Amino acid sequence: MPVHEEQLRSERAHVDGLYRRLDAERTRVEARYREALRGNGTSPMERDVEVRAQAGELKRLGVADHGLCFGRLDAVDGERRYIGRIGLFDEDDDYRPLLLDWRAPAARPFYTATAASPEGMRRRRQFHTRGREITDFTDEVLGRPDGETAGDAALLAAVNAPRGEGMRDIVATIQAEQDRIIRLDHPGVLVIEGGPGTGKTVVALHRVAYLLYAQRERMERSGVLVVGPNPAFLNHIGRVLPSLGESDVVFATTGDLVPGLHVTAEDGPEAAELKGSLEVLDVLRAAIADRQRLPEQPRNIELEDVTVRIDAATAAWAREEARDSGLPHNEARAVFIEIVTYVLTERAIARIGQGWLTRDDAEAWEALRADLLSELAQHPDFTEVLDELWPILAPQRLLADLYSSPERLRTVGAKQLHRAEGAAWTVSDVPLLDELVDMLGTTKTAGGEKDSEREAEYAAGVLEILQTERHDLMDDEDHLLAQDLLHAEDLAERFVEHDTRELAERAAADRDWTYRHVVVDEAQELSEMDWRVLMRRCPNRSFTVVGDLAQRRSPAGARTWGAVLDRYVPGRWAYRELTVNYRTPAEIMEVAAALLADFAPDVTPPDSVRACGVQPWHRQVAETDMSRAVADFTDAEAKREGTSVVIGPPGVPGAVAPAETKGLEFDAVLVVEPARILAENPRGAAELYVALTRATQRLGVLHHDPLPEVLASRVGKR
């Protein structure tokens, strides 16, 4: 038997053994899960904790059904290390590692060792698998200048493979440049910038998986938030982290960051720019102040024994005290009411008690005040005046009323924000609504603030457990300590008995949830106000920021990373750049690079690692023939393996806008009417650059209008 076949047979047998170990472990965990469901006398909270723990372990084991082991390292001292998606250990042999998790320090040479720097290794073997079966393997000899480069062959096979419905993990083919970023020990904000196809998104997701592995106890309690540009992008990347065994992750667009809000409209450039800038904070403050009114005429309140009057002077004093309290608007209402009622009762007592009651009789004075306060609290006219002068405000109602009122917008100096339907929310409204939650404060009534005894009792149990475990947490400043939780009632809404929802589901539904780490993709599009929302979601400022400034299309987006981050994390953010294009073949990147040089001459395009052998083409057609030509493209691509897309300006049948394809990749792309894309908005060149760089194999350009000069000389005619 040839040596290769003999070794392949041996590797198959070894991996079969790993799968038997995996199946046995899963059987044990399933038994523990069923036992946890029964509870066996534990408290409801302890039961829920154990159920979630075992369910998480089942998910971790489940991701390894396919591609459990994808490689082997042979050290110069003869040690063999098998590398895979998860770690497996021999419990009967002092937990000897049978399979190393790809994130473990001992697995790192699998990604970083080279012929020139072998890191104590002599060979890297990469398995090619289908399901649970090894179909073949390739070896790379390390430590010799003329060593083989089979690792490159594995990489090229991966990037040349037809695209499926979603992004794939790169756990088997991580490159050294990517691995250094994935494992970077940086506690603050990490910016990963790279041109199209450099893998910045998938590197960021693998970095999350690595952090969840290396900092499991810290990370899993709060979870991770991944923010992307649109739902299609989130769907595209949504399989990567689950395929790596990580599920405590919330995927959201910036439009999802206020739970329950539905975005149905789109702002024009002028409105979007104002809403995205910090200047809009003054607009919001002015809008709130505008609702804190003074009576144009004194308002009389007829009580049983006396008529009291609220005049402008009284309301002005109360308003000043309420504003100076520093409380949010709705909470400052109590201060406003306190001052108004003090003035009214003082005046009323003086009139009622004239001739028989003095301040020296403090007990009688206060007894009369109490009666008057009770009568005022139940008087509908008094409530009506308070609601007029200092109303309880809700974010959505306040903003909708502002947008639909030209008069109010003139008052606050933001007439460009007018729209007929105030509640037709846009993505740019989300950070404003989120800001108003804090500016306005709670809108609950006294009755609504009362928690049930059962919820409070459950929360008290949380406190008790935290107190008993406090000594275990003292060395970890990032843990939530018992002294940080003042009242059981404060926890009752967060910790609800028998809340069996997954962490991601609970976090996504809770506006006040804070995350341990946040990933922001296409970050160049986020406005200053978007960043305020995200910083509130992650108080410890642990971020992975992914973007390409050259692809910015939003007028409110980032022009430099420092302008965005220095406000929040001065001196605490690091920058790393990816320079190798793994997606876009050289033939297509040459076309895109010419456009990039035209609108962003200071930006260096990434280097493509491969050529596809297919030249980009263009075809000019009559306007009446455009629909048929687009259909011909889609029909032809439907017969091929892989994915395709038509990208064009509004009005092109069957086409999507360039912005909707950001972060996505397709085997074949047809760009329609590039001249119109360029002219569509001030950042049209960036949009066309995005469109041209989505293809991994084939690029075509269809147009009726003349082809832009920058493309004409680089795209062959069909």
Side-chain angles (χ1 to χ4, degrees):
M1 179 182 295
V3 173
H4 184 87
E5 289 298 321
E6 183 178 349
Q7 291 186 5
L8 179 59
R9 184 176 179 179
S10 173
E11 297 292 21
R12 284 172 173 167
H14 184 85
V15 172
D16 285 345
L18 293 177
Y19 273 113
R20 286 193 296 273
R21 177 74 61 168
L22 173 71
D23 292 339
E25 179 63 18
R26 182 155 42 204
T27 299
R28 285 194 292 269
V29 174
E30 286 172 347
R32 291 198 294 265
Y33 177 73
R34 289 192 296 270
E35 183 178 349
L37 285 174
R38 290 192 291 269
N40 293 332
T42 59
S43 71
M45 187 187 69
E46 291 171 326
R47 171 189 172 276
D48 288 351
V49 169
E50 182 62 17
V51 167
R52 286 181 182 141
Q54 297 306 324
E57 182 65 6
L58 279 176
K59 283 187 176 181
R60 186 186 77 88
L61 296 173
V63 304
D65 269 337
H66 302 288
L68 170 64
C69 177
F70 48 77
R72 188 184 97 186
L73 276 173
D74 294 352
V76 293
D77 63 4
E79 178 192 13
R80 287 184 178 179
R81 306 176 191 175
Y82 283 88
I83 315 298
R85 291 182 176 276
I86 64 173
L88 291 176
F89 303 89
D90 188 345
E91 298 179 5
D92 300 326
D93 188 9
D94 198 25
Y95 284 87
R96 177 177 60 87
L98 302 174
L99 181 67
L100 287 175
D101 189 300
W102 67 274
R103 296 164 288 192
R108 183 169 189 173
F110 187 78
Y111 303 110
T112 59
T114 65
S117 178
E119 301 186 30
M121 301 296 136
R122 66 178 182 86
R123 178 168 56 189
R124 172 170 43 227
R125 173 168 289 178
Q126 291 182 299
F127 299 144
H128 309 294
T129 63
R130 182 173 57 246
R132 289 191 167 200
E133 181 186 4
I134 296 180
T135 59
D136 203 352
F137 66 81
T138 53
D139 282 345
E140 181 179 359
V141 178
L142 304 171
R144 298 194 328 224
D146 60 343
E148 301 171 26
T149 58
D152 291 340
L155 170 65
L156 291 175
V159 298
N160 278 316
R163 266 47 188 175
E165 293 183 358
M167 179 179 284
R168 297 167 293 191
D169 66 63
I170 58 169
V171 63
T173 57
I174 293 171
Q175 301 301 292
E177 176 189 53
Q178 298 170 329
D179 187 79
R180 286 191 292 271
I181 295 174
I182 289 170
R183 299 175 192 262
L184 183 65
D185 183 15
H186 180 72
V189 176
L190 173 63
V191 175
I192 305 174
E193 183 162 27
T198 53
K200 51 189 180 293
T201 296
V202 73
V203 167
L205 295 175
H206 283 69
R207 175 168 169 77
V208 168
Y210 173 75
L211 292 174
L212 283 165
Y213 173 85
Q215 304 176 22
R216 176 69 60 186
E217 291 186 6
R218 294 183 180 184
M219 299 280 285
E220 67 181 357
R221 288 195 308 275
S222 300
V224 174
L225 172 65
V226 176
V227 178
N230 54 58
F233 173 83
L234 295 178
N235 184 60
H236 178 65
I237 69 171
R239 300 176 182 177
V240 174
L241 284 169
S243 75
L244 298 173
E246 306 300 346
S247 59
D248 292 339
V249 181
V250 173
F251 293 89
T253 68
T254 54
D256 300 325
L257 294 178
V258 172
L261 187 76
H262 298 290
V263 172
T264 60
E266 186 173 348
D267 281 312
E270 190 177 8
E273 189 165 7
L274 174 58
K275 290 180 181 181
S277 73
L278 297 181
E279 295 173 9
V280 81
L281 293 172
D282 292 331
V283 173
L284 299 180
R285 295 186 189 104
I288 295 171
D290 183 54
R291 305 298 294 272
Q292 299 165 352
R293 315 299 290 270
L294 302 179
E296 295 180 3
Q297 299 293 332
R299 303 290 295 273
N300 292 329
I301 310 296
E302 295 185 6
L303 302 179
E304 185 175 345
D305 297 322
V306 66
T307 298
V308 294
R309 185 175 69 174
I310 303 176
D311 54 27
T314 299
W317 178 29
R319 183 172 70 174
E320 182 181 2
E321 291 293 326
R323 288 176 175 177
D324 289 347
S325 71
L327 294 170
H329 168 86
N330 291 328
E331 296 167 33
R333 175 181 161 109
V335 179
F336 182 84
I337 295 174
E338 181 182 9
I339 299 300
V340 170
T341 54
Y342 171 79
V343 173
L344 297 186
T345 55
E346 282 290 302
R347 292 173 179 171
I349 293 170
R351 291 173 60 189
I352 294 172
Q354 187 174 9
W356 64 270
L357 181 61
T358 68
R359 287 187 179 277
D360 292 338
D361 191 351
E363 186 174 345
W365 190 284
E366 292 305 321
L368 183 53
R369 185 195 301 279
D371 290 341
L372 289 168
L373 288 173
S374 177
E375 191 174 354
L376 281 171
Q378 301 176 50
H379 201 293
D381 291 346
F382 183 61
T383 302
E384 181 182 338
V385 175
L386 290 177
D387 289 344
E388 177 185 326
L389 301 182
W390 199 284
I392 294 175
L393 299 174
Q396 294 189 30
R397 184 73 268 160
L398 172 67
L399 210 55
D401 289 346
L402 176 66
Y403 289 157
S404 60
S405 171
E407 181 182 354
R408 284 188 171 129
L409 287 170
R410 281 195 299 270
T411 300
V412 302
K415 61 182 181 180
Q416 65 266 50
L417 301 185
H418 177 259
R419 64 188 184 213
E421 187 178 349
W425 303 116
T426 70
V427 170
S428 301
D429 290 325
V430 172
L432 278 62
L433 291 167
D434 192 73
E435 195 78 38
L436 284 170
V437 172
D438 289 341
M439 286 184 170
L440 297 177
T442 180
T443 59
K444 289 183 179 179
T445 63
E449 292 171 346
K450 185 177 181 181
D451 295 306
S452 71
E453 292 182 4
R454 190 177 186 185
E455 290 172 337
E457 180 181 356
Y458 179 71
V462 176
L463 281 175
E464 182 179 354
I465 289 178
L466 286 173
Q467 288 166 346
T468 59
E469 295 180 351
R470 180 172 180 241
H471 66 279
D472 295 326
L473 306 178
M474 289 299 291
D475 292 334
D476 186 353
E477 63 180 7
D478 296 301
H479 279 79
L480 182 65
L481 298 183
Q483 72 240 30
D484 296 323
L485 308 172
L486 301 180
H487 303 290
E489 290 79 8
D490 295 334
L491 287 174
E493 290 185 354
R494 184 67 58 82
F495 299 101
V496 180
E497 187 173 357
H498 300 308
D499 184 355
T500 57
R501 293 177 299 170
E502 296 292 337
L503 180 144
E505 186 180 359
R506 288 181 285 129
D510 187 350
R511 181 263 173 188
D512 295 321
W513 190 280
T514 57
Y515 297 88
R516 176 70 191 185
H517 190 77
V518 175
V519 176
V520 187
D521 210 323
E522 300 293 342
Q524 73 277 356
E525 304 297 345
L526 269 62
S527 69
E528 293 175 312
M529 289 297 294
D530 289 326
W531 283 107
R532 284 177 64 87
V533 177
L534 294 177
M535 291 297 169
R536 278 194 288 272
R537 299 297 191 274
C538 189
N540 68 315
R541 306 291 195 258
S542 178
F543 282 76
T544 299
V545 176
V546 182
D548 180 8
L549 294 176
Q551 296 187 53
R552 177 182 64 84
R553 67 179 293 270
S554 169
R559 287 165 173 79
T560 68
W561 299 118
V564 169
L565 299 173
D566 286 342
R567 180 186 306 275
Y568 302 103
V569 285
R572 282 194 60 219
W573 65 277
Y575 176 88
R576 295 293 185 272
E577 185 177 14
L578 291 169
T579 60
V580 179
N581 190 330
Y582 300 100
R583 178 181 70 212
T584 316
E587 296 90 340
I588 296 175
M589 198 61 216
E590 181 182 354
V591 177
L595 175 65
L596 181 67
D598 194 52
F599 79 92
D602 296 334
V603 178
T604 302
D607 294 325
S608 296
V609 299
R610 66 188 178 96
C612 65
V614 180
Q615 292 296 325
W617 57 267
H618 80 95
R619 178 184 167 200
Q620 188 169 19
V621 298
E623 197 164 3
T624 54
D625 295 334
M626 184 65 72
S627 295
R628 180 66 263 168
V630 170
D632 288 343
F633 168 83
T634 56
D635 290 345
E637 288 299 329
K639 299 174 183 177
R640 296 175 180 262
E641 186 179 5
T643 60
S644 65
V645 69
V646 178
I647 305 175
V652 175
V656 299
E660 296 178 31
T661 66
K662 291 181 76 71
L664 306 182
E665 56 185 34
F666 306 87
D667 291 274
V669 171
L670 180 67
V671 178
V672 181
E673 296 291 17
R676 285 177 54 192
I677 294 175
L678 281 172
E680 194 70 25
N681 63 58
R683 294 291 297 173
E687 296 219 323
L688 182 55
Y689 182 62
V690 170
L692 294 173
T693 54
R694 299 306 94 193
T696 65
Q697 302 290 346
R698 300 175 294 281
L699 172 67
V701 178
L702 203 60
H703 60 103
H704 166 69
D705 297 338
L707 199 65
E709 184 178 348
V710 71
L711 302 183
S713 62
R714 292 173 173 81
V715 182
K717 189 174 182 180
R718 173 178 284 188

